[in-house]
């Protein structure tokens, strides 16, 4: 981390990547996640979405790291380094949401609202937005507010989020 942050040593992404790789190869979850980000950004290493996704898989699957699970879900949702797959994105978002990730809960809400990997279900979408909003997650709070405004504007009609 010292080379990465430049604390006590000159900041050097290539040296930081080298040490992250050594720790990642020993199963250190945070190092796997940091190495993934280095590959994703091309910081100290050649930019490589495929290797970034593999590093995120290690951290998400073996290390049960919430941030890695969320990042991997984003990779699947966007097709970055992996095949575009909303079902797998939803799987990794569910893992992160089960550990309390408001960001993942919001993503699951959006999946239900837009039928991405699941059948469209406005009730489930609202439920997941409520879980995230209860943690103070602003995007979900805004989504629920907008849902309530639309619902009031259309009395007697089935509201759509």
């Amino acid at each position: 981390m010292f080379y990465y942050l430049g604390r006590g040593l000159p900041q050097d992404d290539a040296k930081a990547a080298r040490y992250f790789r050594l720790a990642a190869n020993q199963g250190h979850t945070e190092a796997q996640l940091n190495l993934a980000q280095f590959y994703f950004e091309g910081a100290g290493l050649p930019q490589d979405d495929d290797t970034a996704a593999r590093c995120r898989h290690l951290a998400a699957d073996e290390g049960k790291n919430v941030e890695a699970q969320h990042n991997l879900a984003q990779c699947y949702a966007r097709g970055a380094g992996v095949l575009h797959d909303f079902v797998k994105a939803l799987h990794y978002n569910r893992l992160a949401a089960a550990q309390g990730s408001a960001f993942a809960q919001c993503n699951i809400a959006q999946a239900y609202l837009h039928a991405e990997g699941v059948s469209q279900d406005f009730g489930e979408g609202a439920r997941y937005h409520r879980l995230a909003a209860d943690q103070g997650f602003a995007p979900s709070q805004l989504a629920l507010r907008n849902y309530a405004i639309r619902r009031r504007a259309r009395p007697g009609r089935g509201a759509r989020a």
Side-chain angles (χ1 to χ4, degrees), residues 4 7 14-16 20 25 37 39 44 51 56 58 62 66 74 79 93 109 114 117 130 142 144-145 149:
Y4 173 61
R7 291 192 180 151
K15 284 184 181 177
F20 283 143
N25 288 340
Q37 197 61 33
Y39 276 114
T51 303
R56 284 188 176 112
L58 289 172
E62 294 175 14
V66 174
Q74 295 300 101
N93 272 318
H114 300 286
R130 273 193 295 281
L142 181 62
L144 289 172
R145 183 186 69 87
I149 289 169

Side-chain angles (χ1 to χ4, degrees), residues 7-140:
R7 291 192 180 151
L9 297 167
Q11 198 278 334
D12 186 328
D13 285 343
K15 284 184 181 177
R18 181 172 152 242
Y19 287 109
F20 283 143
R21 184 180 296 113
L22 290 171
N25 288 340
Q26 295 176 32
H28 189 277
T29 304
E30 291 298 321
Q32 292 164 341
L33 188 56
N34 286 329
L35 189 59
Q37 197 61 33
F38 272 46
Y39 276 114
F40 182 73
E41 295 174 357
L45 299 165
Q47 198 282 333
D48 185 344
D49 286 344
D50 295 340
T51 303
R54 281 195 298 277
C55 291
R56 284 188 176 112
H57 262 288
L58 289 172
D61 294 335
E62 294 175 14
K64 310 290 188 246
N65 182 287
V66 174
E67 186 178 352
Q69 291 165 343
H70 173 260
N71 287 348
L72 190 55
Q74 295 300 101
C75 288
Y76 279 112
R78 295 179 182 144
V82 293
L83 292 176
H84 183 263
D85 187 333
F86 282 129
V87 173
K88 285 186 180 178
L90 186 62
H91 168 74
Y92 284 102
N93 272 318
R94 285 186 193 281
L95 292 175
Q99 296 181 69
S101 169
F103 206 125
Q105 291 164 346
C106 180
N107 287 342
I108 293 169
Q110 292 301 107
Y112 275 109
L113 296 175
H114 300 286
E116 295 173 340
V118 291
S119 297
Q120 192 169 49
D121 186 330
F122 294 111
E124 278 297 286
R127 184 173 80 81
Y128 276 97
H129 268 314
R130 273 193 295 281
L131 289 171
D134 287 348
Q135 294 184 64
F137 193 66
S140 286

Side-chain angles (χ1 to χ4, degrees), residues 142-155 159-160:
L142 181 62
L144 289 172
R145 183 186 69 87
N146 290 341
Y147 175 78
I149 289 169
R150 278 188 244 136
R151 189 176 180 139
R152 277 186 294 215
R154 296 188 260 179
R160 302 244 179 229

